[in-house]
């Protein structure tokens, strides 16, 4: 018979020493946000929350998930003829937001240590999926696609963008409303195909 615990308490083996306690994930992994390790990362723990989190913290004309943004970025990388490594990096580039939530750029610059925390998660994610050695050139390709996609999303979703002329894309991103489970499934399937090719 299992040991009984008081309601709202965690088993002893889950203590991490972090003042806020361990972070619970959808797959059941308990991780220490101050000491994220590659072995703590699971694809489902990224794909599921990213399919539920809205771009622009919801300050948009209609729902577009971060997961959908990442899928669009990966497809754009494919359309530009980038390597499978860069396509996978584009798919995973906002993976940290599955753990930290989305903080929009105008707010992020006001949070002095947030980049450090976000980088800790993102580095663990890249390492888990074999991308811990991304070159400066590869990272620049990911950033360029992320920025180009952002401006195209802004034209569709944000206010005060009437005069905006977003950069041309090589693909046609789906910026419409999609069911979260459909995005989650596509995200996972695309990641698995890329990982299989990179093995």
């Amino acid at each position: 018979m299992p040991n009984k615990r008081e309601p709202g308490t965690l088993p002893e083996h889950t203590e991490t020493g972090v003042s806020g306690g361990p972070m619970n994930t959808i797959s059941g992994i308990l991780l220490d946000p101050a000491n994220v390790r590659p072995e703590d990362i699971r694809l489902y723990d990224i794909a599921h929350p990213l399919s539920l989190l809205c771009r622009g913290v919801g300050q948009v004309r209609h729902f577009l998930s971060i997961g959908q943004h990442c899928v669009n970025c990966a497809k754009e990388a494919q359309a530009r003829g980038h390597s499978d490594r860069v396509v996978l990096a584009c798919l995973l580039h906002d993976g940290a937001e599955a753990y930290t939530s989305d903080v929009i750029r105008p707010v992020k610059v006001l949070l002095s240590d947030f980049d450090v925390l976000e980088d800790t998660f993102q580095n663990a994610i890249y390492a888990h999926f074999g991308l811990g050695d991304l070159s400066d050139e590869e990272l620049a390709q990911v950033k360029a696609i992320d920025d180009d996609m952002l401006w195209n999303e802004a034209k569709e979703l944000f206010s005060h963008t009437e005069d905006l002329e977003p950069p041309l894309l090589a693909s046609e991103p789906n910026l419409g409303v999609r069911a979260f489970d459909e995005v989650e499934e596509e995200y996972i399937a695309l990641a698995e195909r890329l990982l299989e090719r990179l093995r």
Side-chain angles (χ1 to χ4, degrees):
M1 183 171 175
N3 295 331
K4 290 198 169 187
R5 293 183 282 114
E6 290 295 315
T9 62
L10 292 168
E12 286 182 21
H13 70 276
T14 63
E15 292 300 325
T16 63
V18 177
S19 61
M23 178 180 181
N24 193 16
T25 67
I26 189 69
S27 71
I29 299 292
L30 286 161
L31 58 82
D32 179 348
N35 183 32
V36 185
R37 305 166 303 168
E39 57 265 33
D40 295 326
I41 303 301
R42 298 291 183 277
L43 179 58
Y44 185 51
D45 288 340
I46 297 170
H48 181 72
L50 290 189
S51 71
L52 292 167
L53 290 168
C54 188
R55 289 284 281 164
V57 296
Q59 301 287 352
V60 290
R61 293 189 182 106
H62 65 76
F63 181 80
L64 182 103
S65 73
I66 299 168
Q68 188 170 338
H69 161 77
C70 291
V71 168
N72 286 338
C73 286
K75 290 179 176 179
E76 177 66 14
Q78 288 176 323
R80 293 185 186 190
H82 290 319
S83 68
D84 284 343
R85 279 169 53 88
V86 170
V87 175
L88 181 59
C90 280
L91 185 67
L92 297 169
H93 79 278
D94 279 337
E97 294 177 11
Y99 301 92
T100 65
S101 196
D102 183 19
V103 177
I104 57 175
R105 293 181 189 189
V107 173
K108 194 179 291 186
V109 298
L110 303 176
L111 304 175
S112 58
D113 292 332
F114 186 79
D115 282 344
V116 175
L117 176 62
E118 193 173 49
D119 287 347
T120 299
F121 276 101
Q122 196 60 50
N123 291 337
I125 289 166
Y126 281 151
H128 176 82
F129 292 102
L131 299 176
D133 60 346
L134 286 167
S135 68
D136 289 343
E137 180 183 0
E138 288 171 320
L139 289 168
Q141 290 170 341
V142 173
K143 181 168 181 6
I145 289 172
D146 185 29
D147 287 345
D148 289 354
M149 194 63 65
L150 169 62
W151 289 116
N152 278 268
E153 291 169 348
K155 183 70 174 179
E156 174 80 13
L157 301 173
F158 299 162
S159 301
H160 311 294
T161 57
E162 297 80 10
D163 298 328
L164 178 65
E165 293 185 17
L168 292 175
L169 298 173
S171 62
E172 293 186 19
N174 183 340
L175 301 179
V177 178
R178 295 180 63 192
F180 86 88
D181 52 348
E182 177 186 304
V183 172
E184 177 187 305
E185 288 171 12
E186 183 175 11
Y187 190 107
I188 290 171
L190 181 53
E192 288 176 343
R193 284 198 304 273
L194 290 164
L195 288 166
E196 183 61 32
R197 289 211 294 263
L198 288 167
R199 281 195 183 100

